[in-house]
Amino acid sequence: MTKHRLFWPAVVLAALLLANLAFTPDFLAVRIKDGHLYGSLVDILHFGAPLILVALGMTLVIATGGIDLSVGSTVAIAGALACLHISEAADPASPGAVFGAVAIALGVALVLGVANGMLVARAGVQPIIATLILMVAGRGVAQLVTDGQIITVTSDPYKLIGGGYWLAVPFAVLLAGAVVLLTSLLTRRTALGLLLESVGGNPVASRLVGIRATGLIGLVYAFSALCAAVAGLMISSNVSSADGNNAGLWIELDAILAVVVGGTSLTGGRFSLGGTVIGALIIQTLSTTVYTIGIPPETTLVFKAFVVIAVCLIQSPAFRAKAARRRSPVKHPPRPQPLKPEEAEA
């Protein structure tokens, strides 16, 4: 069991949750109020849903040997476009205005994702450079869309995406769960996952056996952008506003951490969607723990960095083997005994 790739991330997540009991005795309590589920566990799932989606798209990109640094900017652009469209609509609360806003946000994100994929697959630009361009420019585009202001909207249908409930469960959690389930079915029940692992593990061999890596790479970058756009809709919907400067800021780094903590290698090849989900929950639990136990805001990032380093070391088989060897006493071979006189004469 300890050799399973999800064992150690699950252990760390459970340890973080249990550690909060020392500061908040009812941390694990879940209650129903006004027909909705409430509690710290629900909050972790609720506020962690956007990160789960972004990390999910990042996982498939990393599986092909790439990286996507532009997801934070895509989050900001999607939220800004959606809120701008709703704010300018004749009836912001109408379903038509909301559907139009969602369609615009997803459509623009799809174009941005395809552009990233073409830069990497067609133009041969290194993934970190290709996505860094949009990471920098996209944040400026989001601020141009909002004119440097925070756009506030009042729309109950739009509020449902990130801040509403359905069947007593936060709608964002259900939406993220549906995307995770669909992605898992497509990558594990079809040949798509194997093809992605082949492209990331050995691109030369994949090309020789006839796998068209260009289309696959473009597909994963487009999917990553769509996931980021949905996350942007969740974030802006939850606060009923769009902030082009701060929305999704540094979420790309949390997503990469979630993927790494979940056991996916940054060099490409095999990936774990379940590990990514657990990794995202670990990152969100860390953020919740920081606020729960009252860690000063200026040391939050340092605290998270130490915990992530500890998680990565625990998951490393080489580190665990070295630690085990240091704990066990060193057994020296027995010294040879001198021969007896009769044995020496013989």
Side-chain angles (χ1 to χ4, degrees):
M1 182 181 296
T2 58
K3 294 183 179 180
H4 195 278
R5 67 171 64 183
L6 298 183
F7 177 79
W8 290 110
V11 168
V12 172
L13 177 59
L16 285 174
L17 294 174
L18 294 176
N20 280 275
L21 293 176
F23 304 94
T24 309
D26 61 344
F27 185 82
L28 300 181
V30 177
R31 58 189 182 276
I32 297 180
K33 182 179 179 182
D34 299 330
H36 300 157
L37 291 175
Y38 285 92
S40 297
L41 294 180
V42 179
D43 290 340
I44 290 173
L45 292 173
H46 189 184
F47 296 114
L51 178 58
I52 290 175
L53 287 177
V54 175
L56 191 69
M58 187 74 73
T59 301
L60 298 188
V61 171
I62 291 177
T64 62
I67 198 75
D68 190 355
L69 299 180
S70 66
V71 288
S73 296
T74 305
V75 166
I77 292 174
L81 289 173
C83 288
L84 178 65
H85 179 80
I86 293 175
S87 65
E88 294 179 346
D91 183 10
S94 66
V98 175
F99 284 131
V102 172
I104 291 173
L106 296 182
V108 172
L110 182 61
V111 172
L112 296 176
V114 171
N116 280 338
M118 292 302 98
L119 283 176
V120 175
R122 294 284 188 182
V125 181
Q126 292 183 356
I128 192 172
I129 300 301
T131 57
L132 183 63
I133 296 172
L134 182 57
M135 175 186 177
V136 177
R139 187 66 60 176
V141 171
Q143 295 192 63
L144 286 174
V145 171
T146 61
D147 197 22
Q149 306 295 320
I150 297 179
I151 300 178
T152 304
V153 297
T154 303
S155 174
D156 290 337
Y158 187 65
K159 182 72 175 179
L160 173 66
I161 299 175
Y165 289 80
W166 190 56
L167 300 178
V169 181
F171 184 77
V173 176
L174 298 176
L175 182 57
V179 175
V180 171
L181 179 60
L182 180 60
T183 306
S184 179
L185 291 176
L186 289 176
T187 55
R188 295 309 183 192
R189 297 299 180 181
T190 69
L192 179 61
L194 182 60
L195 294 176
L196 295 177
E197 290 178 344
S198 300
V199 171
N202 195 328
V204 176
S206 300
R207 178 177 56 83
L208 293 177
V209 299
I211 297 177
R212 297 182 178 180
T214 302
L216 291 173
I217 292 175
L219 176 65
V220 295
Y221 279 96
F223 177 73
S224 177
L226 286 176
C227 287
V230 177
L233 295 175
M234 286 182 180
I235 294 173
S236 61
S237 166
N238 192 31
V239 296
S240 297
S241 62
D243 185 353
N245 185 47
N246 294 313
L249 189 64
W250 309 125
I251 196 173
E252 59 272 5
L253 301 184
D254 282 344
I256 295 172
L257 285 177
V259 174
V260 173
V261 169
T264 298
S265 174
L266 287 177
T267 58
R270 298 185 64 183
F271 61 92
S272 173
L273 297 180
T276 294
V277 173
I278 295 177
L281 292 178
I282 289 175
I283 300 300
Q284 184 59 46
T285 303
L286 282 175
S287 300
T288 303
T289 302
V290 165
Y291 295 115
T292 300
I293 66 180
I295 294 178
E298 59 270 14
T299 62
T300 297
L301 297 179
V302 178
F303 173 76
K304 291 175 66 174
F306 276 116
V307 175
V308 170
I309 291 173
V311 172
C312 293
L313 290 177
I314 291 174
Q315 290 187 91
S316 172
F319 177 80
R320 294 200 305 270
K322 290 181 179 179
R325 284 197 299 267
R326 289 185 177 182
R327 287 197 305 266
S328 60
V330 179
K331 296 182 179 180
H332 298 284
R335 295 181 179 179
Q337 299 295 327
L339 296 177
K340 297 180 180 179
E342 57 273 13
E343 293 176 347
E345 293 177 356

